[in-house]
Amino acid sequence: VQFGAGGVRVAYSIHVGGFASGALLAWMFGAVPAARAERHLVKARRFFECSNWFGSQGEYINYLDMRPDDSAVHAEAARAFLCSSEMGRVRYHYGEAIRLLMDRGLRGEAEGVFTEAMRAAPGYCLEEKLHLDLAYRMERSLKFRSAMSAYDCFVNMYPRSDEVPFIYLRMAGILERRMERHHEAYRLYRRLVEDFPGDAWTDFARSEMERLRIMGFAVSTG
């Protein structure tokens, strides 16, 4: 037509057949469920932007029922539930996001979500092994304040854990060497000695207390 070469002949059967084939292939490769899930996610984000917290939460749940392994959306859902102060849901979705990221070896991203969760939900704590894994990693990567928050949450949640004496030592070391809060470090060493008198780290804590006492940082027991 463009070059004036004659009339137009449309192969309707080929167009219809192509559409039908595309629809069949989409169904075979799971595009229909994916589209449904995507629709829920789009609606969840739209509701969240409009401050419709409950509508957003419902759509996030619908999406995660279909795509439970989406760590990023678990974190989004946690933020949506935070807006209505449903802290049980907040902790659950942050926890799922962190576990999924750790399972995939995305430890840096997991740390970021963990730090956010501790700020959003005071006292936030994971199961012992996973919590300490992240806390130790934060300390090694020089995120001392985040590590201190993680350690503090741990000892409050698991006060009788066998790991607590060593955590006291880690916390005291950060307080003294990284934050120059020597008196607080002394208190933690003393707490270890008093709460865990038979622990393997007790003698070391006593020697550290003596060192700080000589330096003039001892704290009265009165």
Side-chain angles (χ1 to χ4, degrees):
V1 172
Q2 181 179 354
F3 296 103
V8 179
R9 294 184 180 179
V10 178
Y12 292 105
S13 60
I14 294 176
H15 282 75
V16 173
F19 175 80
S21 298
L24 178 61
L25 287 170
W27 177 78
M28 290 175 62
F29 285 99
V32 174
R36 289 177 183 153
E38 186 69 18
R39 185 167 65 250
H40 287 305
L41 183 56
V42 169
K43 290 174 69 176
R45 288 169 174 168
R46 185 180 300 130
F47 282 142
F48 188 82
E49 291 174 359
C50 297
S51 301
N52 182 350
W53 313 131
F54 296 108
S56 177
Q57 292 161 5
E59 293 298 335
Y60 276 125
I61 290 173
N62 289 335
Y63 174 84
L64 289 168
D65 283 342
M66 303 176 74
R67 294 287 186 271
D69 295 334
D70 193 327
S71 57
V73 175
H74 272 294
E76 289 183 33
R79 296 173 196 125
F81 281 104
L82 183 62
C83 293
S84 58
S85 300
E86 295 187 49
M87 302 311 292
R89 285 281 192 173
V90 171
R91 290 183 171 87
Y92 168 76
H93 286 292
Y94 273 133
E96 287 300 296
I98 293 166
R99 291 183 192 94
L100 288 166
L101 289 168
M102 291 293 283
D103 288 345
R104 294 168 187 155
L106 302 174
R107 293 174 175 267
E109 293 182 32
E111 284 182 40
V113 176
F114 184 42
T115 301
E116 178 184 331
M118 288 190 294
R119 288 197 300 264
Y124 180 80
C125 203
L126 298 161
E127 59 266 26
E128 290 189 50
K129 185 178 184 302
L130 179 57
H131 192 103
L132 287 182
D133 187 2
L134 285 162
Y136 291 146
R137 181 180 173 84
M138 287 174 171
E139 184 180 354
R140 289 195 297 270
S141 57
L142 309 183
K143 299 172 184 174
F144 298 116
R145 293 191 182 279
S146 294
M148 284 292 291
S149 295
Y151 287 146
D152 190 55
C153 290
F154 182 89
V155 298
N156 287 328
M157 178 62 71
Y158 306 107
R160 306 317 299 177
S161 169
D162 292 340
E163 299 294 332
V164 169
F166 183 68
I167 299 304
Y168 282 158
L169 293 182
R170 304 307 311 162
M171 294 175 72
I174 293 173
L175 286 168
E176 180 185 357
R177 298 177 182 86
R178 303 296 181 177
M179 300 179 178
E180 297 186 356
R181 291 156 59 179
H182 303 82
H183 292 89
E184 293 178 51
Y186 183 91
R187 288 191 184 94
L188 275 176
Y189 287 131
R190 188 175 72 192
R191 187 173 177 182
L192 191 163
V193 170
E194 293 173 352
D195 293 353
F196 300 90
D199 191 82
W201 290 107
T202 301
D203 288 342
F204 177 78
R206 286 197 181 97
S207 67
E208 290 296 280
M209 288 175 65
E210 180 63 16
R211 178 178 60 80
L212 289 173
R213 187 190 66 77
I214 293 171
M215 295 170 63
F217 294 113
V219 179
S220 171
T221 61

